[in-house]
Amino acid sequence: DVQLQASGGGSVQAGGSLRLSCVASGFTFDEYAISWFRQASGKEREAVSCISRRSDGSTYTYYADSMQGRFTISSDNAKNTVYLQMNSLKPEDTAVYYCAADRGFRKRLWGLVQEYEYWGQGTQVTVSS
């Protein structure tokens, strides 16, 4: 069975940091781009960041504008895990964070929910002021 297990959420004060993890199983990890999305209460799901790996071993990362410079996405292929390091957190970062996997990765479409075949269950991040 395909599974994406997101974890690492929690409650922090503004300015704090959290590191989210997404452990993948049931599919060939290297063949999929993995992204993080988030959904705040009453709002639509929005893209946060994406990491794609090429056959030559190179890695490409993408970020939504509001996360650029604060969030860092990385992967550990040996552990089938993608991380999202979140620094300088703001109250507006409060949301449920989801990881998702896309095999037919198209760079210009990385932020579209409908591009992703598999989704994790989400992990809550709460940032207080």
Side-chain angles (χ1 to χ4, degrees), residues 38-46 92 94:
R38 69 185 186 185
Q39 188 165 18
S41 180
K43 295 188 177 180
E44 293 187 353
R45 195 166 294 190
E46 65 173 347
E92 51 264 42
T94 294

Side-chain angles (χ1 to χ4, degrees), residues 16-111:
S17 299
L18 284 172
R19 188 177 81 157
L20 306 183
S21 299
C22 175
V23 180
S25 61
F27 61 90
T28 306
F29 185 68
D30 291 352
E31 295 180 356
Y32 286 73
I34 306 293
S35 288
W36 287 95
F37 287 77
R38 69 185 186 185
Q39 188 165 18
S41 180
K43 295 188 177 180
E44 293 187 353
R45 195 166 294 190
E46 65 173 347
V48 174
S49 185
C50 176
I51 188 165
S52 67
R53 281 92 10 102
R54 305 296 174 85
S55 57
D56 63 359
S58 58
T59 298
Y60 294 83
T61 58
Y62 309 90
Y63 297 92
D65 289 345
S66 62
M67 292 74 166
Q68 186 77 40
R70 298 191 299 126
F71 292 6
T72 303
I73 193 169
S74 61
S75 68
D76 184 336
N77 288 359
K79 297 182 178 179
N80 281 11
T81 301
V82 170
Y83 303 99
L84 184 69
Q85 178 67 43
M86 304 187 296
N87 299 328
S88 302
L89 284 163
K90 305 174 182 179
E92 51 264 42
D93 294 318
T94 294
V96 178
Y97 283 70
Y98 300 89
C99 56
D102 175 21
R103 185 172 185 181
F105 180 72
R106 293 177 287 181
K107 180 174 65 175
R108 63 183 179 90
L109 301 179
W110 78 266

